[in-house]
Structures are given as C-alpha cells and as structure tokens.
Amino acid sequence: MTIKMKVRNVSKLFNDESGEGWKRVQQGQSKEQIFRETGVTVGINNVSFDVNEGEIFVIMGLSGSGKSTLVRTLNGLIPSSAGEIWVDDVDVASCSKEELRKVRREKCCMVFQHFALFPHKTVLDNVAFGLKVNGVPKEERYKRALESLDKVGLDAHADSYPGELSGGMQQRVGLARGLANDPEILLMDEPFGALDPLIRREMQDELVVLQRELKKTIIFITHDLNEALLLGDRIAIMKDGAFVQVGTAQDIVSDPADAYVKAFVADIDRSRVYTASDIAEDASRVPLTARVSDAIAAMDRTETEIIHVVKDGVPAGLLTRSDVESAKTSARVMDIMHAHPPTVPQDAYLNEIYSEAQTGMPLAVTDDDGKLVGVVSAENIFEHLASDEEETGPDSITSAAI
Amino acid sequence: MISPSDFLTIPFDDVVNSFVRGFLVPNFRPFFRAMQVPVNEVLQALDGFFAWMPMLIITLVFALVAWRVVNRTMAIATIIGFFFIDMIGLWPETMTTLSMIITSVLFCAVIGIPVGILAASSDTAWKIVRPILDIMQTVPSFVYLVPIVMLFGVGMAPGIIATIIFALPPIIRMTNLGIRNVRKDLIEASESFGATYFQILWEVQIPLALRTIMAGLNQTLMLALSMVVIAALIGAGGLGLVVNTGLGRLDVGGATAGGVGIVILAIILDRITQGFAEPSTSNTSLLGFIASIFKGQSATASDKQKA
Ligand SMILES: Nc1ncnc2c1ncn2[C@@H]1O[C@H](COP(=O)(O)OP(=O)(O)O)[C@@H](O)[C@H]1O
Ligand SMILES: [Mg+2]
C-alpha cells in the first residue's frame, strides 16, 4: 500500500506572536489553560498520521476540536506553525507558493461544509473553475466539467445558478467541482454537515458508490461518528487539537482508547460497524454428493444444529437436525436439502442483513467468489448488537462529551 | 484679554504662498501641465463626438438605455427632458457638460477602482488611503480651486481636474467596501483550487463587488455633477458657465435655465446608473450586464423572475 500523504508533528497555534503559547505547549499545558492565561488558541497539537492511497481517512471530533484547521493546513490554506506535510514528494508546510499552487491545482482539491459555490457563475462554470485557473482551454474544460457533473448526476443542471438548487444538489456541485481537476486527494470538511438527515444519508451512500469507482484518497472531516464509521476505512478521533485514537471502525468501537472515545461510541449504531464476517461462526458443511449419515456425523462432530450443503465450496442447500433425523441415513443430502439457502456477502454490514435474518433461517456468509466462509444466525446478530452495552462509560461522560 | 497671538503670530498664508509659488509652481509646472494632456484628449474627443452626433440620435440612445436598465416611464421622461433642454436652447452647453462629466467619471474610475482594490487587499494601504479620503471629503470644494488654478492655470482641464479630485472618494470607498465584503469562504475556495491573486480578483471579487462598485460610480457621478457650476468659475464651460453668467448679469432667467438643464441631466444620469447598480439580474459579469441592455425586455423580465 502506498502512502499518499504523510503528516508529521503538525501543530498550529493561533495568535501566538510572542511564542509563549508554543513554550507552554511544549511543557504539556492544556489547551484551555494556555488560552486562559495567554490568549493563544491551540488549533492543532502535534498531530502525525499517514493516509494510504485510495482510502477514506476520516477525522472526527466535536466542534472546536480543530478538524477544520487541520484539514486546511493539509493544503496550506492555513499555514501550520510546525511540522511536515508530505504530499508525495512535496512538503506543503515548507514549499514555495508556486509549488503549493501546483499541489492545489493538480493533486489536492477541497469540498466545503457550506458548499462555497460562486453565486455569479453557472453550475458548469463553478465546476470548471479549478480547470480555468489552471489554464485549461475552454472547450476541454467544459467537457471535463460536464463529465464531472455527470458523475454526481447533475449534468442536466449545468446552466443553472447555484442559488436555484437545493442544498443537496449544491453540495453535489461542490463535489463535482472537487473532482473536475481529477485530483489524487480530496479534502472534505464536513461536506454533509449542512444537509438535513435524509439527504445526508443519501449523499453518504452516493459517496460510497462513487468511491468504489474513483478510488480517490479522501480525507473526510465529520463530527458524526455514525458517518465516520460508515465511510471511514480508518478513523482518527480528535480532541483539543490532538489525535486520541486512530484505527478502523471495529478497532474504535470494540476497543476505545479512553473515556472520551468511549462516550462517543456509546450511542452509535453498531449494525453499521460490524460486518457479517466479524460475527460469523464456523460453518459445518458436507458436499453435494454426501449421504445423510455423513451429515449427521459432521453435525455431531461440530455440535451444530444446521449444516450447509456445498458444491465446489458454494452453498447449495441447507439441512437442519430434524431434517436429517427424519430422513433415511442412506438418502442423498441433495434430495432432502432446502435448496437456495439465504446467503450474505462477508462484507455486508449487519443492518443490511437484518431482513434476511428475520426469516429465522441461518445465513450462509460467502466470500467474493461466493464460497462459504461461515454462518450467521439471527440470534448471533442481535446478541452482538446488544453486547458490551453495559461496558460503556458512565452517563456523566456521555453527556459531558456530546 | 491676552491671547496667544500677542506672543506669537504665524505667517501661515506667507508660508503657503512661498511653498506653492516658490517651490511647486516653478519646479513642477511642466509636470502639472503634462497631467492635463490626457484629460484634454478625452474631453475633446467626447465633446467633438457629442457635437457631431445629431441631437435626436443621442436622445434615442439615452432613452433606450433608460428603458432597458430602468423602465419605460424613465425612457419617456428622458425624451421629454432632452427635448425640453433643446427647446430652451441649451443643447450644446448640455453636451459640453455631459462630456465633462463623463471625462471626470472616467478618470475617477480609472484611478479610483485600482486604488480601491489595492486598499481592499492590504490593511496598510487602507490605513494610508482612508485619512486622505476623509480630508478630500471634508475640504470644501471652493478651497480646491485656488491651488488648482495656481498649478494648472484656468480652463476646461483644470475644471475637470478639480471635479475629479472632488468626486473621487466614493468610488474608492465603495470599491474597497465591495471587495472586502465578498464572502471569505469563496476566497478560500478559490485559493484551494490554486487561483492566483489576480485570478481571484478577476474571477470572484470584482464580479461579486460589481454592484457596490456601480453604486460608488453613481455617487461619484452625482458629485461630479455638483461640481459643474463651481468648475465653471475657473473656466470650465457648459451649463455651469450659463448659470455663472446668468448670476453675474443678474439674469435670473438665464441662470435658472442653466440650473434646470443641470437638474434634468442629473436626474437622467442618476436613474440610469442606479439602474446599473440594482440587483435586477442574476448575471453580474460586466459583459452580461452590457448584453442585457441590448437584450429584449422579455429576457430581462425572466432574469428577474429567476433572481
Ligand atoms: N482564525 C482563527 N483565529 C483564532 N482561533 C481560531 C481560528 N480558527 C479556528 N480557531 C480556533 O481553533 C480551534 C479549532 O477550530 P476548528 O478547526 O474550526 O474546529 P472544528 O472544525 O473541529 O469545529 C477552535 O478553538 C477555534 O476557536
Ligand atoms: Mg469545522
């Protein structure tokens, strides 16, 4: 996996002309204390991370935790006070204005929380803006802008003005504008934060679909943990300008680093964190050509009540204990099995497999080739969603943090 | 009672005299003379043009513009106003005044808009420009005349230069204001796409500040009109001269006629430029703006509905 962006020990202090704030940060004083005593705001405090090519790296934290400041230092909109920010082989934190402009034009585009569309330009001209400042000739720039608009499904609105569009549509234009230059990295500062919940869900799903095709390196800011868990390949939790924990959704939900993260995790929707493979149990199986006696033997050996019948590893049928007990031991499993057993892909989230699980039948979990890798029962799912509910931190933390 | 002057008197007038006469005039006269050249060129071109163009055509063009940017009533009022001026025999003087006004406003725009842009992009520049504007706006217009006559002599060009100085502040202030008021997130977005200072200025700031700049231009125009009579005192011609001559001869009728001419011209120019400054269309680019003047009324109406 190649590393697309490498961030090392980046800090940003606001209003620290005298350097007093920096001294105090080095001494480890808290953001609050430094602000109270010197008026210096610690925006970012010694943050380091890598972003891999093609992943969605989510930075989440409460309002004021420094997310916007951090994402703006990544493309130099806010100059950092210390540290290095490597985009490929350019250090954004120390490069010349010219190089910085080149990074912004070619590698790293941004989508804004409040869209920041130009009200005096048409949708098409908005999307073509990045190409225009980069000197792309008119014809090509409109062609590429239209392609970009097409990706977000708004090519029909090319000649409208942003003010004529709904919030969701405006942010699609914002996204199309960010994609028009075909940057390798997309910075998104709470892009869906200003949208109402239904539209937000829709946009999240669309981003997931779009990302499957685009495979951009995305740095996505949010204050909504559910959004972070849904989108993030990896998630960084930020507090008072510093990273508290960095990891996958499962890492963070199952092993929160401290009370702050725990409080966040307390009220998330677990069904969107865990996938079928996370909770799958080993499946017992017999080949299609086996006899009932083989099935009984296999079930006894693995102490299970159900067994899958597989053909070349692909689930073809299902047998329960009562099925096999009522059949002749010499019968072939293929004749008595329930054909077409319910199957789910291993990377499906639990919320996506609820409905299948409700039939009461155990679900066969399959890998990308359709081969059986495990089994999930309805009880499994509900047990897992309810589990470690009691483990979450005391209520005081929850209410303090949220 | 004793007063400070018993102990010390300052010969302020002498100091100023020797500064202007002894230093500025002998050393910089050629420079000030040279400054008049572009003003004279533009003025003569315009004056020649308006003298050559038949009265009816000029009226028609003004009426058309008034119709497009204001409404039909204003177009009719423009026609009536210009006909009236012609019928009281002041058409040539009105055209001279119009040339002077346009020249002044043109130079105000050429000087004022860049200065306003500079003031908007640097707080230091604004800190320098602002007190100068304050002084320019508090010094009574008559006071300008003396140094101007000393430095530039008398005639049309000095009158216009006095007008330019007097009418300059609003366009600078409004340009500065308009550009500073452009939403910061739009500037940030432009920067994030790698736009340069001039690209941001041209693509985002100026188009979005255009309405405010136009409002500044309108104020500048009105100030320029208010200088018409005063500028005539130092040899500028046109309607101001008619008023002054009328006053000098105690010819109430003549002075009033000149005054009425100025008022009619002022109203027409004011309404038209205000029309430009009103947010009537969603298209704020300069070209679109000019194009909208020539587009059909229906297009303007649909633009209005959109906005
Ligand atoms: N230009 C600025 N000057 C001073 N303080 C700032 C500035 N911008 C942000 N801050 C402060 O930095 C901290 C982080 O802000 P921000 O990055 O906007 O947080 P978030 O995006 O996570 O809500 C806040 O305490 C905020 O008040
Ligand atoms: Mg923010």
Side-chain angles (χ1 to χ4, degrees), chain A residues 62-69 71-72 113 189-190 221 223:
Chain A
L62 298 176
S63 168
S65 57
K67 309 179 296 289
S68 295
T69 308
V71 79
R72 278 166 177 70
Q113 176 171 11
D189 185 7
E190 300 201 34
I221 309 291
H223 63 258

Side-chain angles (χ1 to χ4, degrees), chain A residues 21-70:
Chain A
W22 178 246
K23 245 186 274 163
R24 288 172 182 246
V25 169
Q26 297 314 94
Q27 289 163 9
Q29 291 189 10
S30 75
K31 171 175 171 159
E32 199 197 326
Q33 190 186 357
I34 294 175
F35 181 72
R36 198 158 12 98
E37 291 174 9
T38 67
V40 174
T41 307
V42 180
I44 315 169
N45 185 1
N46 197 22
V47 165
S48 299
F49 60 94
D50 291 333
V51 186
N52 300 316
E53 188 165 350
E55 80 172 335
I56 301 187
F57 185 80
V58 173
I59 298 168
M60 83 144 292
L62 298 176
S63 168
S65 57
K67 309 179 296 289
S68 295
T69 308
L70 178 57

Side-chain angles (χ1 to χ4, degrees), chain A residues 72 105 120-121 132-133, chain B residues 188 191 194 199 203 284 306:
Chain A
R72 278 166 177 70
R105 286 178 177 183
H120 61 295
K121 289 178 181 287
K132 187 170 187 185
V133 299
Chain B
E188 192 178 50
E191 279 180 353
Q199 283 174 328
E203 291 287 332
T284 46
K306 260 200 256 171

Side-chain angles (χ1 to χ4, degrees), chain A residues 90-104:
Chain A
V90 180
D91 179 13
V92 171
S94 69
C95 70
S96 69
K97 273 190 174 168
E98 207 51 53
E99 277 178 296
L100 182 59
R101 206 173 289 138
K102 203 160 135 63
V103 168
R104 289 176 183 171

Side-chain angles (χ1 to χ4, degrees), chain A residues 72 75 77 101 104-105 108-110 112 116-121 129-130 132-133 161 164 177, chain B residues 183 185-197 199 203-204 207-208 282-284 306:
Chain A
R72 278 166 177 70
N75 64 355
L77 283 178
R101 206 173 289 138
R104 289 176 183 171
R105 286 178 177 183
C108 199
C109 290
M110 191 157 173
F112 295 85
L117 301 177
F118 305 115
H120 61 295
K121 289 178 181 287
F129 181 81
K132 187 170 187 185
V133 299
Y161 283 87
E164 300 162 0
R177 183 175 65 176
Chain B
R183 275 162 48 196
D185 64 327
L186 299 182
I187 307 294
E188 192 178 50
S190 320
E191 279 180 353
S192 81
F193 285 97
T196 60
Y197 169 78
Q199 283 174 328
E203 291 287 332
V204 181
L208 288 173
S282 52
N283 191 344
T284 46
K306 260 200 256 171

